[in-house]
Amino acid sequence: MTEQEWKNKTVVTEFILLGFGNGPELDSLLFLMFLSIYIVTITGNIFMIVLMVANRHLHTPMYFFLGNLACLEICYSSNILPRMLLSYLGGDRSISVNGCFTQYYFFGCLAAAECYLLAVMSYDRYLAVCKPLHYPSCMTGKFCLQLGAASWTSGFLSNSILTFLISNLDFCGPNEIEHFFCDSFPMIKLSCSDTHVVGLVTSVVAGVCSLPPFLLTFSSYLYIFITVMRIPSATGRKKVFSTCSSHLIVVILFYWSILTVYVLPHHDTQISPDKVFSV
């Protein structure tokens, strides 16, 4: 872009999050719905954390990782929903450019951390089911702390690169983001810079953050399934499946949402499947 062309551009200082549409009645309905979701999410996860800390019988690797997942869900919701609730309450859907980058940074970090954390939880279940005699010696308290710390650290480091690249793009207008929070693809779409490199790095980082954890999770549950099928007792199989089913459901929902939002073709409708699965 030449100097004269740059002077003719308007530098964007804020974005407008379009969300799910406009209208007083719709805003009131969405405010009540998302306020309920936020209260249930925060209350439920805090209760789980307090229960796991207070009950010594729950001081096990499985509940330690579940506590980490509960903390992550609290951070997820608190990063997006309070700002969203204020926009529906006051009608102001603008967010500063720096505020948008900050929201995306924490969202991306938490999403990557969840990929790693779900993989760690599946590995924990693999050891418990397939290597029960070695489980106490393998999954020690120190090793659990290291796995938990590695999941959080890897998530926060991986998205730092993307946030840095996106924050260095030029935004000249329009400034309306067709989403209810700041995400990478909607922001890149608004840039007036060459986004080829950023798009390529986004794909690479997304693959590194999601593919290895997914393969580890898939392999763990494949071995678990094979081991469970070898159990002669139906009661024994049911007991083992009951300890893994809830985590498996979370994994399926999480990766199906990622597939729908970031891999399948995007939709331009006001209430698209992308937004629904993001919720």
Side-chain angles (χ1 to χ4, degrees):
M1 182 182 294
T2 66
E3 184 178 350
Q4 184 62 37
E5 289 174 324
W6 171 253
K7 290 179 180 179
N8 293 331
K9 297 289 184 179
T10 302
V11 178
V12 171
T13 58
E14 64 179 21
F15 293 116
I16 306 297
L17 296 171
L18 297 181
F20 291 92
N22 296 308
E25 294 182 357
L26 181 61
D27 285 355
S28 300
L29 179 62
L30 291 172
F31 174 79
L32 292 175
M33 183 182 74
F34 284 110
L35 178 62
S36 302
I37 291 174
Y38 186 56
I39 292 174
V40 170
T41 301
I42 297 299
T43 304
N45 283 292
I46 289 178
F47 177 76
M48 287 172 57
I49 294 171
V50 171
L51 181 64
M52 285 182 282
V53 171
N55 192 336
R56 295 184 61 85
H57 295 290
L58 300 182
H59 291 183
T60 62
M62 182 177 72
Y63 286 103
F64 169 76
F65 295 128
L66 186 60
N68 275 265
L69 188 62
C71 289
L72 191 146
E73 295 300 334
I74 292 174
C75 295
Y76 253 140
S77 302
S78 299
N79 179 47
I80 295 174
L81 282 178
R83 176 67 189 81
M84 186 177 176
L85 291 172
L86 287 175
S87 69
Y88 284 126
L89 189 63
D92 182 13
R93 305 198 177 187
S94 63
I95 182 172
S96 67
V97 172
N98 289 333
C100 199
F101 292 150
T102 302
Q103 186 184 68
Y104 165 68
Y105 170 71
F106 283 105
F107 166 75
C109 292
L110 294 169
E114 183 162 358
C115 288
Y116 293 120
L117 187 58
L118 289 175
V120 167
M121 294 176 73
S122 67
Y123 177 68
D124 171 71
R125 292 298 84 204
Y126 160 75
L127 289 178
V129 174
C130 302
K131 308 285 184 181
L133 298 179
H134 297 87
Y135 182 75
S137 60
C138 292
M139 199 59 69
T140 61
K142 181 180 179 181
F143 188 51
C144 289
L145 288 173
Q146 291 174 342
L147 289 175
S151 299
W152 286 88
T153 304
S154 299
F156 275 79
L157 288 178
S158 60
N159 200 51
S160 300
I161 303 171
L162 285 181
T163 306
F164 174 77
L165 291 176
I166 294 175
S167 64
N168 280 278
L169 294 175
D170 296 323
F171 296 91
C172 315
N175 66 337
E176 293 182 340
I177 296 179
E178 187 61 54
H179 217 317
F180 60 89
F181 70 96
C182 298
D183 202 358
S184 57
F185 288 134
M187 285 194 294
I188 292 174
K189 187 178 179 181
L190 296 179
S191 175
C192 54
S193 303
D194 182 6
T195 59
H196 176 73
V197 175
V198 178
L200 181 62
V201 175
T202 300
S203 300
V204 172
V205 173
V208 171
C209 291
S210 59
L211 186 58
F214 172 77
L215 292 177
L216 177 59
T217 302
F218 178 79
S219 301
S220 297
Y221 274 102
L222 180 62
Y223 280 109
I224 290 173
F225 180 78
I226 294 173
T227 302
V228 170
M229 288 297 99
R230 292 175 179 173
I231 299 176
S233 169
T235 304
R237 290 196 296 268
K238 183 178 179 180
K239 182 179 180 181
V240 174
F241 272 128
S242 67
T243 64
C244 303
S245 58
S246 58
H247 177 257
L248 186 59
I249 291 172
V250 171
V251 169
I252 293 173
L253 288 174
F254 181 73
Y255 280 106
W256 178 254
S257 299
I258 290 178
L259 177 67
T260 303
V261 175
Y262 296 105
V263 178
L264 296 181
H266 296 276
H267 303 78
D268 295 326
T269 55
Q270 195 173 61
I271 302 181
S272 67
D274 294 358
K275 297 179 185 178
V276 174
F277 276 95
S278 293
V279 174

